[in-house]
Amino acid sequence: MIAPTLSPASTGGPILRCSNVRKSFGANEVLRGISFEIPAGSVLTIIGASGSGKSTLLRCLNHLEQPTSGEVYLDGEPMGVRIKPNGTRVPDKAANIARKRAQIGMVFQQFNLWPHMTALQNVTEALIQVKGLDRAKAADLGRNTLAKVNLLEKADDYPARLSGGQQQRVAIARALAMAPKVMLFDEATSSLDPELTGEVLEVMRQLAQEGMTMVVVTHEMGFAREVSDRVIFLHEGQIDQDGTPEEVFVKPTSERCRRFLSSALS
Amino acid sequence: MSETLRQSLDLSLFWEYRYTVLAGLAQNIYVFLASAALALTLALFVGLSRVSRHRALRILSTGYAELFRNTPEFVLLIWVYYVLPILISKLLAAKFSLSPFLAAVLALGVAYSGFLSETVRAGIQSIPRGHVEAGLSLGMSRFTILRRIVIPQAIRRMLPEALSQFVSLFKATSIVSLVAVPDIMYQVSMINVDQMRPLPLYTGAALLFCLVIIAATQSINILSDRWRKRGWA
Ligand SMILES: Nc1ncnc2c1ncn2[C@@H]1O[C@H](COP(=O)(O)OP(=O)(O)OP(=O)(O)O)[C@@H](O)[C@H]1O
Ligand SMILES: [Mg+2]
């Protein structure tokens, strides 16, 4: 395993834990009490129909959305709240939230690369600004990480000159370079042309094999079945089916899940 | 008749007074540079406030922008030069006056900060939310994201719009002679008092303004082309 993916020593408990997470947008309750644990080195895949709350759930995990109630724990520590000595919970300081977010990598459907920076600069920016690495060290680490996603030769290109698949791999490298404890993928291949999804899935597969802890939202059922340790089927903000890929894909007990899968696979 | 026309269009008179005229033009450029710097600084703060997460800041800054965007520069100039000192004198209970130059810079700077803040706001809002979220997800602070991700991109998007605002600002410096800043229009009208030949004098002044603006616009176009070639814009 190459250095950038080495995660900081963890406490041995689950890397991420969700405890009865609820999220409403106005009157619309999008997440209705989600709980699960993600052990170190495991891959959790979340599937479900459009609007079932998959993205919202991922965004609650790194506090891009603040849960209306419930808790997310990163390596045993609550995300986004501070528990005062008298037991009351108050919103945490922005700097503390940022410090935890830096340990959670996120890959977006739309890549979200910064177009005014080269591929390498996209990867090194947070290393310099957040981790405080000097430019030379950051560039070294950045190149190593780009090499890992097979894009070393594109290091000095701007995103506009890269294909969608290449852009998404740079985005993965950008998250990976921070040596996160866990990586979140929100439909990383959904905005790619079919012939470009393979190269991105290949990088994700490799990460999973190297023991990266991952939460993956995807419509690629074959991929999900192959790499996941656990699969969750989300329906209207609740966990409707939950188990090993075998249990969810081959013999789902939920009628809804069965119907979703048959429509997704056809 | 055509002889008088030819004589009055004869720019040699303008050429004769070239040093006085150029000294005037220098004043326009000074006023322009100082008020552009003031306008840009104010516009950055006001523009950022307009997209702030704090409601009070948004309301205040929107009021500011609307007020100064909708007041004619000429009125503002007169107000700053004649009324503002009286108000401040009353407030301080001491004599206070503004030099013509300062009054001109203040009036034009504030007026154009209103226009420019609108450009800044639009530029910042044109940056996709996802760029900010990518930064947040990597643990960057909002301030770092603003400084490293949002503003550099917003500036590039704002450039054409801001450029035309600056051209207007430069043109607007031609009103500062009204408060006796010795600018090009002031010098030309002084020469005209002596010579009584407004045609060549004012035609020359118009041509000079035009020339300066075309030169400035062209060099900025070349610069932004270079940016585009690097895939930035
Ligand atoms: N910022 C927001 N404000 C208001 N409503 C929102 C917001 N974000 C999401 N929603 C609503 O929450 C619901 C779930 O959205 P979410 O994006 O989590 O679904 P999803 O499962 O990711 O769907 P998709 O497969 O289409 O990406 C939707 O009804 C959506 O309209
Ligand atoms: Mg989604």
Side-chain angles (χ1 to χ4, degrees), chain A residues 63-241:
Chain A
H63 226 262
L64 281 184
E65 300 287 359
Q66 192 174 343
T68 312
S69 69
E71 237 70 73
V72 174
Y73 295 87
L74 173 66
D75 225 357
E77 281 186 71
M79 271 296 281
V81 292
R82 206 154 40 88
I83 299 164
K84 293 212 290 194
N86 65 11
T88 55
R89 314 189 143 221
V90 289
D92 205 352
K93 284 196 295 247
N96 287 338
I97 297 176
R99 193 174 50 75
K100 284 183 187 140
R101 278 195 189 125
Q103 305 172 46
I104 304 176
M106 187 165 203
V107 176
F108 302 85
Q109 184 175 346
Q110 302 299 336
F111 327 140
N112 292 337
L113 290 182
W114 303 310
H116 61 304
M117 296 184 185
T118 63
L120 183 62
Q121 287 167 337
N122 266 277
V123 177
T124 56
E125 182 65 18
L127 294 174
I128 296 166
Q129 301 291 340
V130 177
K131 289 209 158 174
L133 263 59
D134 66 45
R135 276 167 199 289
K137 276 218 188 76
D140 272 354
L141 182 49
R143 283 181 197 285
N144 278 341
T145 318
L146 282 174
K148 234 180 114 53
V149 297
N150 292 320
L151 280 176
L152 188 52
E153 80 281 5
K154 300 288 183 189
D156 297 319
D157 281 5
Y158 287 91
R161 305 205 26 192
L162 304 178
S163 74
Q166 291 170 334
Q167 289 188 51
Q168 191 61 297
R169 284 186 284 147
V170 172
I172 292 174
R174 175 172 71 177
L176 193 58
M178 295 291 284
K181 288 178 175 166
V182 51
M183 297 257 292
L184 315 178
F185 292 85
D186 191 0
E187 301 197 27
T189 57
S190 289
S191 56
L192 295 176
D193 293 336
E195 70 272 19
L196 297 178
T197 60
E199 60 192 66
V200 172
L201 293 178
E202 185 48 44
V203 168
M204 292 169 65
R205 192 176 287 124
Q206 182 193 334
L207 280 177
Q209 276 163 9
E210 288 175 1
M212 174 59 76
T213 311
M214 295 166 49
V215 184
V216 180
V217 170
T218 187
H219 289 302
E220 300 281 341
M221 296 305 162
F223 174 78
R225 195 169 162 185
E226 173 196 345
V227 304
S228 310
D229 296 295
R230 182 173 169 196
V231 179
I232 282 176
F233 170 66
L234 217 55
H235 176 75
E236 291 179 356
Q238 285 179 314
I239 296 179
D240 192 66
Q241 179 88 61

Side-chain angles (χ1 to χ4, degrees), chain B residues 132-170:
Chain B
V132 175
E133 291 185 344
L136 288 174
S137 77
L138 290 159
M140 292 164 77
S141 70
R142 288 200 178 265
F143 180 71
T144 304
I145 293 171
L146 199 62
R147 186 172 58 84
R148 299 284 307 170
I149 313 292
V150 176
I151 291 181
Q153 290 192 71
I155 285 177
R156 275 157 215 158
R157 295 199 188 190
M158 280 157 25
L159 204 70
E161 178 69 25
L163 177 63
S164 77
Q165 311 267 6
F166 282 129
V167 169
S168 306
L169 173 56
F170 188 69

Side-chain angles (χ1 to χ4, degrees), chain A residues 238-253:
Chain A
Q238 285 179 314
I239 296 179
D240 192 66
Q241 179 88 61
D242 174 10
T244 62
E246 185 74 6
E247 284 164 346
V248 174
F249 287 116
V250 184
K251 36 185 194 236
T253 51

Side-chain angles (χ1 to χ4, degrees), chain A residues 49-56 59 109 186-187 217 219:
Chain A
S50 178
S52 57
K54 306 181 296 294
S55 297
T56 306
R59 293 162 59 82
Q109 184 175 346
D186 191 0
E187 301 197 27
V217 170
H219 289 302

